[in-house]
Amino acid sequence: MKKSSWMGFMFLVMVMFLFPQIGHAAGGGTGIYLDGKALELSKNAQVQNMSGNVMIPIRVVVEELGFNVDWDTKTRTVTIQQSDTELKLVVNQSTATVNGNKVSLPVAPKLMTDTVIVPIRFVSEQMGLSVGWENTSKTVYLTSPDSGSGTGNGSDNGSGNNNGGSDGSGSDSNVNDTANLANVSGISFNNNQLMIAVDKNVKPNIFKMSEPNRLVVDLPYTQFASVFSSNQSLDSTMNGFFDVTDYPDVSKVRYALFNNNPSTIRVVIDLNNAKNYTLINNNDGLIIVDLNADSNDNSGNGNKLVVIDAGHGGSDSGASSVTKKKEKDFNLAVALKVEKLLGNEPNIEIVMTRDSDTYPTLQERAKLANSINADIFISIHANAGSATASGVETYYTKSDSLALANVMHKYLVQSSGLSDRKVRTKSLHVTRETTMPAVLLECGYLSNSKDDAVLFTEDFQNSVAEGIAKGIKEYLGM
Ligand SMILES: [Zn+2]
């Protein structure tokens, strides 16, 4: 999903803020990954939580992206100039400006010693940047729009986004004439539909974001009706939300006056899993974003698509065991057994990234899973390390994969009989670049003579394959 250039620009800005001072690796548990690369954080520049907003120090990110910025110590203003766009942010002020137009922030940037921190949620939604937050490890995963990952889908059913001629640039005084704005008098979620009541025609602009999954609905040329706050929560900064408990796909609906020029309300549907939507806008006073269309995923036959990825293959042997056996052969043997075990399941379709000794690239494996809109992605590997390391690990990257990781790991420990080296988070290509819940299983250590002795036995492989099949079925609710 490509955002317009100012969006990209905004991203850099947010990402900006940190000034002089080169940081050194932090000992702490929090971390930031940008496009899969771990960034070094200084002691003063840690990820933190401020009244429910995860704040990140972004100088490190800026440096990584190679951006420049001006910092005025006296006014504590950051100015970023890029071609004909100028952006200014001020510490402790909850509005930023883009070419003089105000944009509101959920929380003002804060100066922490030598570091400015900004709310991560704002970064993601404003900049079209994918952000993942893994709470256990307190890790932020950032994916820049240009990195070719993310959801890879900017599907926008709500055609054009501009309402009439003006694009809200600068001096046109009619743009914000409140008499011309549509009033939003209510926002609700019922029947698996977001409903927005308006008193004039509005052309919504809708887009999907991942990590976490959500749908963003922008309503240009709108304002909150004066009655809105008497019926629904709306704080003094024009932000509000309500929790959604009756529909499994949705956890919360948030809304805010997101831009002042043109006045734009943004509504965000926080999703529990990626969803498609249909926009129903008949200019009858009700804008509906319908999530029902997607209830029969994929091919419409209700089947779940499971991608089984046998790691390595062909020219890439993977790790080599104590007794010189190859990881790629172990991975393929187990993957084929899983395929066979689930082959007769009526509601599961297995797609293999390879079923022989070939080497699809990591990019091809992720692309395959994304292109068929698979439900889950399971990569099978065996590990190597020190001679004493032994046992099984389950890796995931995105927060929406944690539930799958927990289920798969439970069965991996059980079925392997090896020691439990826990569920772990790591930025691995196939678990990062896939758009569905994805895990990578390390089924034992080839570098350990005890593990190696069992890994290539028929019994062990059958047992682990059965464990993987059980985990898949449990996760899919079958
Ligand atoms: Zn491997």
Side-chain angles (χ1 to χ4, degrees), residues 406-417:
N406 284 333
V407 172
M408 295 308 296
H409 191 67
K410 177 179 76 181
Y411 285 101
L412 181 58
V413 172
Q414 238 171 56
S415 64
S416 67

Side-chain angles (χ1 to χ4, degrees), residues 311-312 316-319 327-328 331 380-384 440-442 446:
H312 312 280
D316 173 13
S317 298
E327 184 199 340
K328 66 174 182 177
N331 300 340
I380 299 171
H381 286 250
N383 216 338
L440 186 147
L441 309 175
E442 293 285 7
L446 293 160

Side-chain angles (χ1 to χ4, degrees), residues 1-21:
M1 122 169 46
K2 275 272 149 90
K3 301 270 130 187
S4 58
S5 62
W6 76 265
M7 285 284 218
F9 179 67
M10 286 285 290
F11 157 55
L12 29 129
V13 161
M14 295 326 290
V15 161
M16 293 280 24
F17 304 66
L18 270 282
F19 305 94
Q21 268 284 0

Side-chain angles (χ1 to χ4, degrees), residues 9-245:
F9 179 67
M10 286 285 290
F11 157 55
L12 29 129
V13 161
M14 295 326 290
V15 161
M16 293 280 24
F17 304 66
L18 270 282
F19 305 94
Q21 268 284 0
I22 298 296
H24 285 285
T30 59
I32 302 178
Y33 282 84
L34 173 64
D35 295 332
K37 184 180 170 191
L39 303 180
E40 295 208 334
L41 305 181
S42 78
K43 261 230 307 276
N44 299 328
Q46 294 292 302
V47 173
Q48 47 195 291
N49 192 318
M50 271 183 182
S51 48
N53 288 278
V54 174
M55 309 283 286
I56 64 163
I58 39 196
R59 175 183 54 83
V60 282
V61 183
V62 175
E63 285 181 350
E64 189 64 31
L65 292 173
F67 297 136
N68 289 313
V69 39
D70 238 332
W71 166 241
D72 185 335
T73 322
K74 238 171 65 196
T75 59
R76 300 204 293 180
T77 302
V78 183
T79 305
I80 299 102
Q81 194 89 36
Q82 192 196 35
S83 57
D84 56 354
T85 308
E86 187 191 65
L87 198 138
K88 283 180 188 289
L89 291 123
V90 184
V91 168
N92 291 339
Q93 288 192 10
S94 55
T95 48
T97 59
V98 182
N99 284 343
N101 297 327
K102 288 184 177 172
V103 178
S104 60
L105 304 158
V107 182
K110 294 268 182 301
L111 185 60
M112 309 289 288
T113 319
D114 56 343
T115 292
V116 179
I117 59 174
V118 299
I120 189 68
R121 178 77 71 173
F122 180 78
V123 174
S124 70
E125 288 176 4
Q126 303 264 336
M127 312 330 153
L129 183 76
S130 291
V131 176
W133 167 248
E134 210 293 292
N135 198 44
T136 324
S137 61
K138 305 275 185 269
T139 302
V140 175
Y141 294 96
L142 300 172
T143 309
S144 61
D146 289 331
S147 71
S149 64
T151 60
N153 104 45
S155 97
D156 175 5
N157 291 351
S159 50
N161 22 355
N162 274 324
N163 201 6
S166 168
D167 63 356
S169 60
S171 57
D172 183 347
S173 60
N174 285 331
V175 163
N176 263 346
D177 186 339
T178 53
N180 290 332
L181 298 175
N183 290 295
V184 172
S185 56
I187 297 172
S188 62
F189 195 89
N190 283 304
N191 305 321
N192 221 18
Q193 296 176 325
L194 174 74
M195 284 182 271
I196 303 166
V198 290
D199 66 355
K200 285 193 179 66
N201 295 348
V202 174
K203 285 189 178 165
N205 181 27
I206 308 183
F207 54 95
K208 295 181 188 177
M209 300 203 71
S210 62
E211 304 180 34
N213 286 306
R214 56 213 188 275
L215 282 177
V216 179
V217 182
D218 280 346
L219 307 166
Y221 303 93
T222 59
Q223 64 185 357
F224 287 109
S226 51
V227 297
F228 189 94
S229 59
S230 53
N231 305 322
Q232 307 206 232
S233 86
L234 191 66
D235 67 18
S236 58
T237 65
M238 294 286 137
N239 278 271
F241 74 94
F242 55 87
D243 292 317
V244 175
T245 49

